[in-house]
Amino acid sequence: MSPAAPAQRSAQANCLHVVPLRGWHLPLLQDPCFSDLLPLLQRAVLLQGPELLLSTLTARPPLAPDVLLAYREPHLPLGLLISQRLNRSGTCWQLLQLRSSAACLASGEAGRMAIEAALVREAIQRSRGAASWMATASTNDSDRLALLRQQGFQPLRRETIWHWEPSHVTANRELPADLQLRPLNRRTAAAMWQLEQATLPAQLRQLLDRRVDDLLDQSEQPSLMLFDSNRQQAVAGARRLRQGSRDLPEIELSVHPGWTHLLGEPLQLLLERSAATSGELLVRSDLLDGERSAWLQSLGMAPEGEEVVMARSVWRRHATQQTAQVAQRIEAVLGRLQPGQRPMPTPLGR
């Protein structure tokens, strides 16, 4: 055995591997930081086959998220990343979970950051057809914010998470004559989509690339809107989001920029009806909207925390090379099909 063999084996042992989650990985995830994710991980493994098959047939909502596992030794997982596409076309993806095991934390802060960065880079490289990625992080989690910035994510919006325990004792509130309370369904989804297009920042709206079907996929009932019958448009909405990482249901409150005067009984009725079946829930609101924050606090809501919505674009540099190669092939084929022509005579000089 050559003297370089032990050094080669040591280098291979220190090499980090990032692979998709498989069924035989599940018994190895015994670290306490993975325990709450095991039902989701089992579902992701079971639906890997159907997801791969259906992804080639038609545009549809995802069946299960994608999961990546990082390790140096095959039986010692160091980190885990869960991601999912946000729209049916697959142009926008979201980072859902990023966890590090105790073995990863023992390697120090620099080692943990390197492993998490490798997971994020591999997830972005594997997302075929993705043009943008979204992620959220708490404003108090400086390490996660630094990691996302290192990987090209930029903050686009800050949101306040409000904790609310509605009393379910609603007073006799009446809406103005021109406003109607309508549920979110396939018939009214276009009006809610236009409302969100008007309330989201332009860059965030472009990166999300959300269509009407995507809005329905990401919403649960009861989701309601205030509809202006004269202008035939939704002016405010309380959309219940799909169950995420939090245990409590979440409501995203949207108000058209020209209808901020609805802060009061109309919006209170909208929120109370949206929370009719919940004991406790969370309400998301833009941090920069101080008037709305003060109004939500007057309803008895308490700030649960603040989050930063971050995003980055994905550029595929090899796309231009592939396009040039295809153009060259087409030109070569068409050149052979051109009819032969006699060369033009060259005039002789005196």
Side-chain angles (χ1 to χ4, degrees):
M1 181 180 298
S2 63
Q8 185 177 4
R9 289 200 305 268
S10 177
Q12 292 176 354
N14 292 328
C15 182
L16 182 67
H17 301 276
V18 179
V19 297
L21 182 70
R22 297 292 181 254
W24 63 273
H25 291 138
L26 293 177
L28 306 177
L29 301 175
Q30 300 298 326
D31 195 281
C33 72
F34 302 136
S35 59
D36 62 317
L37 299 176
L38 287 179
L40 178 62
L41 299 179
Q42 293 172 357
R43 183 172 179 268
V45 170
L46 290 175
L47 294 177
Q48 279 178 351
E51 173 71 22
L52 181 61
L53 176 62
L54 294 176
S55 63
T56 60
L57 299 179
T58 181
R60 46 158 193 84
L63 296 178
D66 289 356
V67 185
L68 292 177
L69 191 68
Y71 67 89
R72 286 196 174 94
E73 300 178 8
H75 301 289
L76 185 61
L78 298 177
L80 182 144
L81 183 144
I82 303 178
S83 61
Q84 192 173 36
R85 55 187 174 92
L86 270 180
N87 52 10
R88 295 191 178 191
S89 61
T91 58
C92 183
W93 283 67
Q94 183 181 20
L95 195 157
L96 298 176
Q97 294 284 346
L98 185 58
R99 303 285 181 91
S100 302
S101 65
C104 175
L105 298 177
S107 62
E109 186 65 26
R112 182 183 68 85
M113 292 282 287
I115 292 173
E116 292 183 352
L119 283 167
V120 175
R121 286 195 302 268
E122 185 66 19
I124 294 176
Q125 290 295 326
R126 287 179 174 269
S127 57
R128 302 297 181 185
S132 60
W133 269 76
M134 310 296 300
T136 58
S138 172
T139 54
N140 298 324
D141 194 346
S142 57
D143 294 337
R144 181 58 50 83
L145 292 173
L147 172 67
L148 292 175
R149 287 194 180 97
Q150 182 186 9
Q151 298 305 314
F153 287 83
Q154 298 295 327
L156 294 183
R157 189 178 186 181
R158 295 178 179 270
E159 295 180 335
T160 304
I161 313 299
W162 299 88
H163 182 267
W164 188 30
E165 297 183 10
S167 61
H168 297 297
V169 180
T170 58
N172 295 326
R173 310 184 195 281
E174 294 184 359
L175 292 174
D178 55 344
L179 292 183
Q180 301 174 358
L181 197 64
R182 294 189 180 183
L184 174 62
N185 50 40
R186 187 160 295 277
R187 185 179 302 174
T188 61
M192 178 71 86
W193 179 82
Q194 292 174 357
L195 171 65
E196 292 210 344
Q197 296 299 298
T199 56
L200 288 177
Q203 189 176 6
L204 180 59
R205 181 173 66 243
Q206 182 180 4
L207 294 176
L208 281 173
D209 193 18
R210 182 184 291 164
R211 300 293 183 261
V212 176
D213 289 335
D214 302 325
L215 185 68
L216 287 172
D217 295 337
Q218 300 165 16
S219 305
E220 289 185 346
Q221 297 300 330
S223 295
L224 302 172
M225 70 184 76
L226 289 179
F227 190 84
D228 183 5
S229 57
N230 293 333
R231 295 175 175 83
Q232 293 296 307
Q233 66 174 6
V235 297
R239 185 168 65 91
R240 183 167 297 204
L241 306 179
R242 287 285 183 188
Q243 189 70 24
S245 58
R246 303 177 184 271
D247 298 331
L248 297 178
E250 298 183 34
I251 289 180
E252 186 179 64
L253 180 63
S254 303
V255 183
H256 195 281
W259 290 78
T260 55
H261 60 275
L262 292 178
L263 288 176
E265 289 194 357
L267 282 185
Q268 186 173 353
L269 177 62
L270 176 67
L271 284 176
E272 289 174 349
R273 295 289 178 85
S274 302
T277 59
S278 303
E280 299 179 55
L281 49 83
L282 303 175
V283 178
R284 287 182 172 269
S285 180
D286 191 355
L287 176 64
L288 299 179
D289 194 340
E291 183 181 1
R292 190 187 309 181
S293 299
W295 176 73
L296 292 175
Q297 199 165 8
S298 68
L299 296 181
M301 300 187 188
E304 181 92 353
E306 297 176 0
E307 287 187 350
V308 184
V309 180
M310 308 185 73
R312 62 155 291 175
S313 300
V314 180
W315 298 96
R316 308 293 183 182
R317 294 184 178 180
H318 60 274
T320 56
Q321 299 177 359
Q322 292 179 352
T323 304
Q325 292 176 0
V326 171
Q328 291 176 0
R329 293 174 185 174
I330 294 176
E331 184 179 357
V333 172
L334 294 179
R336 297 174 185 174
L337 297 178
Q338 289 180 357
Q341 297 180 358
R342 298 176 62 181
M344 295 292 293
T346 303
L348 297 177
R350 294 183 181 179

